[in-house]
Amino acid sequence: LVKSVRPLFHLVMGVLSAMQGVIWVLVLTLVVLYAVGIMATRLIGHGLIFEEGGMDDAIRVPWQTVPDSMFLLFKVMNGVLSDRDAEAIDSLMGKMPTLKFALVFFMITSSWTLLSILT
């Protein structure tokens, strides 16, 4: 059916070729989430950036494993944080204000990635 109707065939081929670009952007997004998730787990979840005993468990719990960190970063990237997650991030930014630069860098990078998927 698709080959017999030429305009439909061209439309399907165009969608398939566009999907190739979308897949590569999704792979890039996954790699960035994975890399930042590993760094966040090591630095925040395992407490490497804090002094001994200087960190509340409410801050550390959302970052304890790489999948948890990736999922939290994905929620940050999409702007759908729960109250508990938002409070943990706000507390983290209050304790370590220099991490705001890392969060801004992640937000800009992830926003541009999502923008490239949509356009």
Side-chain angles (χ1 to χ4, degrees):
L1 176 71
V2 174
K3 284 205 171 210
S4 63
V5 181
R6 273 290 192 221
L8 183 60
F9 176 73
H10 290 298
L11 180 67
V12 168
M13 293 308 294
V15 168
L16 288 177
S17 67
M19 287 299 292
Q20 181 182 7
V22 170
I23 288 172
W24 281 113
V25 171
L26 290 175
V27 167
L28 175 67
T29 303
L30 186 65
V31 168
V32 168
L33 278 174
Y34 185 64
V36 177
I38 290 173
M39 287 184 353
T41 301
R42 297 290 296 160
L43 295 176
I44 302 166
H46 297 163
L48 294 179
I49 60 172
F50 298 104
E51 304 105 26
E52 280 297 317
M55 180 178 35
D56 188 18
D57 279 344
I59 296 173
R60 195 181 75 235
V61 166
W63 308 95
Q64 282 185 337
T65 65
V66 174
D68 289 341
S69 296
M70 287 177 65
F71 188 61
L72 183 60
L73 289 168
F74 180 74
K75 291 193 295 187
V76 166
M77 184 171 84
N78 292 307
V80 289
L81 288 175
S82 66
D83 291 337
R84 186 185 61 144
D85 293 337
E87 184 178 322
I89 290 175
D90 287 342
S91 299
L92 179 64
M93 295 302 140
K95 282 193 176 272
M96 298 288 298
T98 55
L99 285 178
K100 289 179 183 178
F101 294 112
L103 184 65
V104 167
F105 175 75
F106 174 76
M107 288 301 296
I108 289 172
T109 305
S110 61
S111 297
W112 285 348
T113 303
L114 286 178
L115 183 64
S116 69
I117 288 174
L118 297 175
T119 58

